[in-house]
Amino acid sequence: MSGGHSDAHASGPLPENLTVPGWRVALIITSFTFSLPGFLNGAQTGLALGLDRAVLAALLSGLILCGCACLTAIISVRTRLTTYLLVQRSFGIRGAALVNIVIAIVHFCWFGVNVSFFGDAMVAAAKEGYGIPGDFGTFVILGSVLITLSTIYGFRTFDRLAMVAVPLAGIILVAVCVTAVGAHPVDLAPAENPPTPMSFGIALSALVGGNMLTVAAMPDLSRFIRTERGAISGMLLSFPIAAPVLMLISALIALATGETDIMQIVVSMGFGIPALAMLLLSVWTINALNLYSAGLSMAATFPRVRQWIIIVAGGAIGCIFALLGIINSFIPFLVTLGLIIPPIAAIYVIDGFTRFREGSAEAAPPAIRWAAIGVWLGSLAVTLPAMHWGLTLTTVPALDATLLAAGSYGLLLRWRRR
């Protein structure tokens, strides 16, 4: 899931008079943490690990995400630059274009995950006899078209609506949790045959990976925070609290019902169409944000291509991902994100504390900074095969990728200064 971007002051530092206290940014981060993909991640983790280890994984992931977000937020407060500009000065103009393409593809994958929830919601409504014809594939295509059109013609309305719809979806999850726990005996032990078996390390990596895009793109929000202390307090008020709470709710629902499909759970418990519609609305608004964010990234990379064309193409690609069953490979997708995204943030954070510590920067970045590109791709060349073969340093692939990239880049910069 991703946050939104602002067009204002996208090509330079944000003026100080537009800054706000850190808690306001914390509210935005927390509201978007309570998402349906977050529920699915928590539900599958709860069934695989049991409640106690799942909540422990969520606590640790919240601390890891908070630590990483504090670093990206501090850099953004010092520079008042967007994520794109921070990436550009570290990776170079064409290097940043490569990063942007990868990030846009990640947004399209998230679109596919979310539009799968749209399809599930419509299937659940059809099963309740509301006279809605169609199957999952038909509903996914219809949802992709409607969300894409709404992103093109009415994004600003959806951006504001998301601030209401997403927290209300969180309230529905709490109500479902209370109902599920009251109606079913809850076995807090791991399920005998969880839908996605995973180790503690893989579960932790999936929880971290599921929020790493938000952490890496944090400067788009945190550059609005007034002070560095406010940035740190804002991060402390978001991830370390939101992640364990969502895990507790999701794991309890899954352990009580044995289900991970929130749409089917809502219908089976008699919450009815209003609750289902609210969950659907939260999916719609978040996916509009995903398409809009990807559109901005790709528009900066390909300025001659109109943004609406990129949004349409992104909606089509995301729809294909959904039809191919990306929701069935959700945990591997999140773990892979934990390998791809953290090195990008590690590189621009290290640059912020070293090469650009005094605020100095070239008038124009070079085409490619091979050091940054090499470390990023090199870390993927090591960690992707290592994960496939079960080789790990910390038992958490996302943490392995972060440490490898940060250590390699730091040593490379030190060697080049000699």
Side-chain angles (χ1 to χ4, degrees):
M1 180 178 114
S2 67
H5 290 242
S6 173
D7 292 315
H9 308 287
S11 59
L14 183 82
E16 293 290 335
N17 65 297
L18 296 180
T19 57
V20 299
W23 63 265
R24 290 182 58 180
V25 172
L27 287 177
I28 297 173
I29 299 169
T30 301
S31 70
F32 282 100
T33 300
F34 280 84
S35 63
L36 298 190
F39 167 82
L40 178 61
N41 195 0
Q44 293 187 347
T45 301
L47 289 174
L49 301 183
L51 184 65
D52 54 349
R53 297 180 72 220
V55 172
L56 176 59
L59 285 168
L60 291 175
S61 72
L63 293 175
I64 292 171
L65 292 166
C66 178
C68 296
C70 282
L71 294 175
T72 57
I74 287 172
I75 294 301
S76 68
V77 169
R78 290 182 179 182
T79 62
R80 302 296 180 196
L81 297 178
T82 64
T83 306
Y84 173 71
L85 293 178
L86 290 171
V87 169
Q88 189 180 75
R89 72 177 189 175
S90 289
F91 287 80
I93 296 174
R94 293 183 180 176
L98 174 62
V99 173
N100 266 359
I101 291 172
V102 171
I103 289 177
I105 292 173
V106 171
H107 279 298
F108 298 153
C109 289
W110 276 119
F111 183 97
V113 169
N114 279 286
V115 82
S116 296
F117 282 107
F118 183 98
D120 284 340
M122 298 303 291
V123 169
K127 287 182 178 179
E128 284 300 295
Y130 288 98
I132 305 175
D135 55 14
F136 176 79
T138 302
F139 292 136
V140 163
I141 294 171
L142 176 63
S144 297
V145 171
L146 293 176
I147 294 170
T148 300
L149 291 175
S150 70
T151 305
I152 295 172
Y153 293 108
F155 172 76
R156 295 193 183 280
T157 300
F158 276 85
D159 190 19
R160 298 186 185 97
L161 189 59
M163 297 305 299
V164 177
V166 176
L168 285 177
I171 293 173
I172 293 173
L173 290 180
V174 172
V176 171
C177 181
V178 172
T179 304
V181 172
H184 301 85
V186 183
D187 184 356
L188 304 183
E192 290 186 6
N193 296 299
T196 307
M198 64 184 94
S199 65
F200 184 87
I202 292 297
L204 180 54
S205 197
L207 292 169
V208 171
N211 290 282
M212 257 305 168
L213 183 57
T214 301
V215 171
M218 187 61 67
D220 292 341
L221 287 174
S222 56
R223 67 189 179 122
F224 287 91
I225 298 177
R226 193 160 293 141
T227 63
E228 291 183 24
R229 180 176 295 180
I232 294 173
S233 64
M235 300 308 106
L236 288 171
L237 289 172
S238 53
F239 290 113
I241 298 173
V245 170
L246 180 61
M247 174 58 74
L248 181 63
I249 294 171
S250 305
L252 281 174
I253 294 174
L255 291 168
T257 64
E259 294 285 342
T260 59
D261 188 337
I262 186 61
M263 301 303 185
Q264 297 294 340
I265 294 172
V266 166
V267 170
S268 66
M269 289 185 175
F271 281 85
I273 288 298
L276 202 61
M278 185 54 63
L279 293 179
L280 190 150
L281 182 60
S282 72
V283 168
W284 195 313
T285 56
I286 289 174
N287 249 6
L289 291 171
N290 273 315
L291 277 187
Y292 183 69
S293 296
L296 285 179
S297 297
M298 296 299 284
T301 305
F302 303 103
R304 295 184 179 180
V305 181
R306 294 186 178 182
Q307 190 171 342
W308 72 266
I309 296 177
I310 296 172
I311 290 173
V312 169
I317 294 171
C319 177
I320 292 172
F321 283 144
L323 294 175
L324 290 176
I326 190 173
I327 198 75
N328 299 321
S329 302
F330 187 53
I331 296 299
F333 165 61
L334 296 184
V335 174
T336 303
L337 278 189
L339 304 182
I340 296 173
I341 302 299
I344 298 171
I347 288 168
Y348 78 67
V349 164
I350 289 174
D351 276 344
F353 282 107
T354 56
R355 293 198 304 121
F356 302 110
R357 180 172 51 191
E358 305 300 328
S360 60
E362 301 94 341
I368 297 179
R369 288 196 182 279
W370 290 108
I373 291 291
V375 166
W376 178 40
L377 297 181
S379 70
L380 292 177
V382 172
T383 54
L384 283 172
M387 182 184 69
H388 177 74
W389 292 104
L391 302 175
T392 176
L393 179 65
T394 65
T395 73
V396 183
L399 194 55
D400 289 348
T402 305
L403 293 175
L404 176 61
S408 301
Y409 192 63
L411 289 173
L412 183 58
L413 290 182
R414 188 171 182 178
W415 175 76
R416 292 181 67 177
R417 285 198 298 267
R418 290 183 175 179

